[in-house]
Amino acid sequence: MSGKEPIPLPELLKHPKVLKVTEDVNAELLERRQYSPPVCSALSQKFSRLQPTDEFKFTVDKEAAKQLPDIINNRVQKIQGLKTADAALSKTYQQKRHIGIVFSGGPAPGGHNVIAGIYDAAKKANPKSRVYGFLIGPDGIIENETLELNDDLVDAYRNIGGFTMIKTGRTKIDTPDKLALCRETCKKLDLDALVIVGGDDSNTNAAFLAQEMAADGVQVIGVPKTIDGDIQVRDDNSNVLCAMSFGFHTAARAFANSISNLCTDSSSDVKYWHICKVMGRVASHLALEVALQTHANMTLIGEDLADYVDQRRLEKAQKEGTLDYHAYGITLRHLSRVICEGIVRRAAIGKNYGVIVVPEGVLEFINEIQVFIIKLNTIIAEHNQTRDIDFHAAFPLLEDKLEYLRRLAQRSREDTSFTLWNTRDDDLFNDIPAFFQEGLLMERDSHGNFPFSQVETEKVLMDLVKDYLNILKEQGRYRFGIYKSYYRKTLKRAGLDPEAYGPLLFENYEQTDMLLRKSEIISLKTLKQSLVEAKMLKDSQDVPAAVEKMFQKSVPSFKTQNHFYGYDGRGNDPTRFDCVYTYNLGLTVFSLIANGATGQMAAIRNLEQDFTRWEPIGIPIAPLMHLEERKGRLTLVLEKSIVDVRSAAFQVVKANREKWLAADSAGDHFRKPGPIRFTGKSEEERPITLELNAIC
Ligand code: FBP
């Protein structure tokens, strides 16, 4: 500090500069709040009407038809904007309405704009209409906890990330009691419509609530939300109705920006491998988009791994006239080998650093893990169905749970009809590290989903990678490449002849500029032996310091830094794409409500095209539903959309794998997506995945 006396604290705190920088509101926030997203032409008119179309076909699940009879015959509805309306439409469109909105599941950037869109349209149609937000997710409907929205509240959150205004929760409305309570709340509030902003499970909830409240005349509309990007809707003929849920673009761009910064750091510091787990509970859409945005050295895509076929195993079995089922799908061990290969190849050309992107849900696509998840789901569900006490309460400690599994294995030995958990399962399970066992036995969420965000996926994988790299090191196959010029300079400086030592130390001395230590030289001892055998050294002499230095330089040390990109990107303020998309989704919701729709999901078609071609529609939810195993039971749910390995986006990433691994003497190929900027021209218009998948 200078010799000046510091300003007394009370005065400092009143200083204009201090007051300015400690305000909660800054210029960025004000700019966001004031932004008015453009509106699709069909939604910019005073009125709109729905045009049901048979252009799109869906194969209806029998169980869906049985459980959702009132909404199963819904069709896709196109929205047509109208400047004027006849008396009947004008009356219904402009009637006073009560609308309730709930957020369900994880936050996704853009949610506040869905609310703003609904609020603006409802108030424009009739200023006396009332819009309520249900607090902290579906519990707010069950317990009738609401907040009535007004201009100030809505304006404060325009174009702002998170679901802060009314919060969110993960409760599933899955019992007759809960459905009845929701119905009661809607009656008490005299609701005309309920809007459920959520993922696959929440839109499933929307369908059941639409069915439950059809008789009461309460309309229920879903909105496709999730950063995971796994709500994508196509009809039976692959026509795209909803290309992407909202929030995906922002989360992917936020993750990509941070990961690209790591690419810069790692290629500067050249000593770390950064292992970046990115969210996406099941599907690898976010990882795929991050790969396209950053060109990280390696990106795992779960769906691709599930598709893996071990050709060598297959051919061997074919020769023996048998079939080897283990050839299909990758094992954890094999995957760790694939990662090691990339690391070893980069080390060989002097790059002992890099960035690996691991999707959070990757383990779900690994055969052996998937089998464990299904078996343990069933075991926990069966336990809970037959006992008064919940599995996790009955067996609080890992050891208790393992003991229970041991007893099941014992039962399978005594009773051959019991096959759920056998001795082999038990042995294999006991082979995996305790923290991962604990992860696999963790409590499922209320939808029965496995909580992958809480499992250290990357640790499971990287522990295996580290083990195998050590083996490769001992075998002399994991070596760090040394520039020939550097080697020559070092030896010359020490007064040694590099040409005499070179062919002895390196396996490729004559061929290339990047030298690779001979694989048989794996220690100082073996180095000395080679020199003695070649008569470059006597037994009694020490290895020359410069030669020893070259050996030490060629031994890579594998140092990692682990990162998790999830909650941070999920809380980011939305990209312009998500701002515009969600505001128009909100307007679409109102148009569906004003035209009497229920059991529909609001969507915008042609997201991959120029904004002028965006088309608001209503998608029927019931025909999209199918039976899936949840908590050990077949349940009717909306199908998740996972990465299609035939898609252009995946094929482009696959074709660039070798280039982005950059295991050659050229530089890396990292791409800088830059931060999410609300203004300016640099921000991409939409996810790259969408752009690529739209190429016909
Ligand atoms: P939603 O599907 O509900 O939108 O949530 C997505 C997600 O962010 C996943 O990527 C992640 O696995 C999960 O939520 C994390 O859940 P939680 O917020 O309960 O930790």
Side-chain angles (χ1 to χ4, degrees), residues 240 243 577 604-610 614 686 690-695:
V240 180
F577 172 83
I604 308 275
R605 278 192 85 203
N606 302 336
L607 282 177
E608 67 285 0
Q609 296 177 29
D610 187 71
W614 284 21
R686 52 183 62 83
L690 281 199
E691 305 258 12
L692 292 176
N693 288 348
I695 302 172

Short mmCIF file of all heavy atoms in Angstrom, two decimals, residues 240 243 577 604-610 614 686 690-695:
data_model
loop_
_atom_site.label_atom_id
_atom_site.label_comp_id
_atom_site.label_asym_id
_atom_site.label_seq_id
_atom_site.Cartn_x
_atom_site.Cartn_y
_atom_site.Cartn_z
N VAL A 240 -39.08 -34.36 -39.23
CA VAL A 240 -38.72 -33.73 -37.95
C VAL A 240 -39.82 -32.76 -37.51
O VAL A 240 -40.18 -31.85 -38.24
CB VAL A 240 -37.38 -32.97 -38.07
CG1 VAL A 240 -37.03 -32.34 -36.73
CG2 VAL A 240 -36.28 -33.90 -38.53
N ALA A 243 -36.81 -30.53 -33.48
CA ALA A 243 -35.41 -30.92 -33.70
C ALA A 243 -34.60 -30.89 -32.42
O ALA A 243 -33.60 -31.59 -32.29
CB ALA A 243 -34.79 -30.00 -34.74
N PHE A 577 -30.38 -17.68 -29.63
CA PHE A 577 -31.21 -18.75 -30.21
C PHE A 577 -32.23 -19.23 -29.18
O PHE A 577 -33.43 -19.33 -29.47
CB PHE A 577 -30.30 -19.91 -30.64
CG PHE A 577 -31.03 -21.16 -31.08
CD1 PHE A 577 -31.53 -21.28 -32.36
CD2 PHE A 577 -31.22 -22.22 -30.19
CE1 PHE A 577 -32.22 -22.44 -32.76
CE2 PHE A 577 -31.89 -23.37 -30.57
CZ PHE A 577 -32.39 -23.48 -31.87
N ILE A 604 -41.56 -25.83 -32.30
CA ILE A 604 -41.30 -24.97 -33.45
C ILE A 604 -40.59 -25.82 -34.49
O ILE A 604 -39.53 -26.39 -34.19
CB ILE A 604 -40.39 -23.77 -33.08
CG1 ILE A 604 -40.90 -23.00 -31.86
CG2 ILE A 604 -40.17 -22.86 -34.29
CD1 ILE A 604 -41.94 -21.95 -32.08
N ARG A 605 -41.17 -25.94 -35.65
CA ARG A 605 -40.51 -26.70 -36.73
C ARG A 605 -39.50 -25.82 -37.45
O ARG A 605 -39.57 -24.60 -37.37
CB ARG A 605 -41.55 -27.16 -37.76
CG ARG A 605 -42.27 -28.41 -37.35
CD ARG A 605 -43.05 -28.94 -38.53
NE ARG A 605 -42.22 -29.77 -39.38
CZ ARG A 605 -42.47 -30.01 -40.66
NH1 ARG A 605 -43.50 -29.46 -41.25
NH2 ARG A 605 -41.68 -30.80 -41.37
N ASN A 606 -38.59 -26.45 -38.16
CA ASN A 606 -37.58 -25.75 -38.99
C ASN A 606 -36.60 -24.91 -38.19
O ASN A 606 -36.11 -23.89 -38.68
CB ASN A 606 -38.26 -24.84 -40.05
CG ASN A 606 -39.17 -25.63 -40.95
OD1 ASN A 606 -38.99 -26.84 -41.11
ND2 ASN A 606 -40.16 -24.98 -41.51
N LEU A 607 -36.33 -25.33 -36.95
CA LEU A 607 -35.36 -24.60 -36.12
C LEU A 607 -34.00 -24.50 -36.80
O LEU A 607 -33.22 -23.60 -36.53
CB LEU A 607 -35.17 -25.32 -34.79
CG LEU A 607 -36.25 -25.17 -33.73
CD1 LEU A 607 -35.91 -26.02 -32.52
CD2 LEU A 607 -36.39 -23.70 -33.32
N GLU A 608 -33.73 -25.49 -37.65
CA GLU A 608 -32.41 -25.53 -38.29
C GLU A 608 -32.33 -24.54 -39.45
O GLU A 608 -31.27 -24.33 -40.02
CB GLU A 608 -32.11 -26.97 -38.77
CG GLU A 608 -32.96 -27.52 -39.89
CD GLU A 608 -34.38 -27.92 -39.48
OE1 GLU A 608 -34.74 -27.76 -38.30
OE2 GLU A 608 -35.14 -28.36 -40.36
N GLN A 609 -33.48 -23.94 -39.79
CA GLN A 609 -33.48 -23.01 -40.92
C GLN A 609 -33.56 -21.57 -40.44
O GLN A 609 -33.67 -21.29 -39.26
CB GLN A 609 -34.66 -23.35 -41.83
CG GLN A 609 -34.52 -24.74 -42.42
CD GLN A 609 -35.71 -25.12 -43.26
OE1 GLN A 609 -36.37 -24.27 -43.84
NE2 GLN A 609 -35.98 -26.40 -43.32
N ASP A 610 -33.53 -20.68 -41.42
CA ASP A 610 -33.61 -19.26 -41.12
C ASP A 610 -34.89 -18.97 -40.31
O ASP A 610 -35.92 -19.63 -40.51
CB ASP A 610 -33.65 -18.51 -42.45
CG ASP A 610 -33.58 -17.03 -42.23
OD1 ASP A 610 -32.49 -16.57 -41.85
OD2 ASP A 610 -34.62 -16.35 -42.37
N TRP A 614 -39.36 -20.54 -39.44
CA TRP A 614 -39.79 -21.22 -38.22
C TRP A 614 -41.32 -21.34 -38.22
O TRP A 614 -42.03 -20.39 -38.58
CB TRP A 614 -39.36 -20.44 -36.96
CG TRP A 614 -37.90 -20.60 -36.65
CD1 TRP A 614 -36.91 -20.98 -37.51
CD2 TRP A 614 -37.26 -20.33 -35.40
NE1 TRP A 614 -35.69 -20.97 -36.86
CE2 TRP A 614 -35.88 -20.58 -35.56
CE3 TRP A 614 -37.69 -19.91 -34.15
CZ2 TRP A 614 -34.95 -20.43 -34.54
CZ3 TRP A 614 -36.77 -19.76 -33.12
CH2 TRP A 614 -35.42 -20.01 -33.31
N ARG A 686 -27.28 -21.21 -34.16
CA ARG A 686 -28.00 -22.37 -33.63
C ARG A 686 -27.00 -23.51 -33.42
O ARG A 686 -25.85 -23.39 -33.87
CB ARG A 686 -29.08 -22.82 -34.62
CG ARG A 686 -28.57 -23.05 -36.03
CD ARG A 686 -29.67 -23.42 -36.98
NE ARG A 686 -30.67 -22.39 -37.12
CZ ARG A 686 -30.56 -21.34 -37.94
NH1 ARG A 686 -29.49 -21.20 -38.69
NH2 ARG A 686 -31.51 -20.44 -38.02
N LEU A 690 -27.62 -29.23 -35.27
CA LEU A 690 -28.83 -28.99 -36.06
C LEU A 690 -28.48 -28.66 -37.50
O LEU A 690 -29.10 -29.16 -38.43
CB LEU A 690 -29.63 -27.82 -35.48
CG LEU A 690 -30.50 -28.03 -34.27
CD1 LEU A 690 -31.52 -26.92 -34.16
CD2 LEU A 690 -31.21 -29.35 -34.33
N GLU A 691 -27.49 -27.77 -37.63
CA GLU A 691 -27.09 -27.35 -38.98
C GLU A 691 -26.67 -28.57 -39.80
O GLU A 691 -27.08 -28.73 -40.94
CB GLU A 691 -25.87 -26.40 -38.92
CG GLU A 691 -26.04 -25.20 -38.04
CD GLU A 691 -26.33 -23.94 -38.85
OE1 GLU A 691 -26.62 -24.06 -40.04
OE2 GLU A 691 -26.28 -22.85 -38.24
N LEU A 692 -25.87 -29.44 -39.18
CA LEU A 692 -25.35 -30.59 -39.93
C LEU A 692 -26.45 -31.59 -40.24
O LEU A 692 -26.54 -32.11 -41.36
CB LEU A 692 -24.23 -31.28 -39.15
CG LEU A 692 -22.94 -30.46 -38.99
CD1 LEU A 692 -21.94 -31.20 -38.12
CD2 LEU A 692 -22.33 -30.16 -40.35
N ASN A 693 -27.31 -31.84 -39.24
CA ASN A 693 -28.35 -32.85 -39.46
C ASN A 693 -29.40 -32.40 -40.46
O ASN A 693 -30.20 -33.21 -40.93
CB ASN A 693 -29.00 -33.25 -38.14
CG ASN A 693 -28.06 -34.10 -37.30
OD1 ASN A 693 -27.03 -34.57 -37.80
ND2 ASN A 693 -28.37 -34.29 -36.04
N ALA A 694 -29.39 -31.10 -40.77
CA ALA A 694 -30.37 -30.60 -41.74
C ALA A 694 -29.86 -30.76 -43.17
O ALA A 694 -30.61 -30.56 -44.12
CB ALA A 694 -30.67 -29.14 -41.46
N ILE A 695 -28.57 -31.15 -43.32
CA ILE A 695 -28.05 -31.32 -44.68
C ILE A 695 -28.63 -32.61 -45.24
O ILE A 695 -28.48 -33.68 -44.65
CB ILE A 695 -26.50 -31.42 -44.69
CG1 ILE A 695 -25.89 -30.18 -44.06
CG2 ILE A 695 -25.98 -31.64 -46.10
CD1 ILE A 695 -24.39 -30.26 -43.83
#
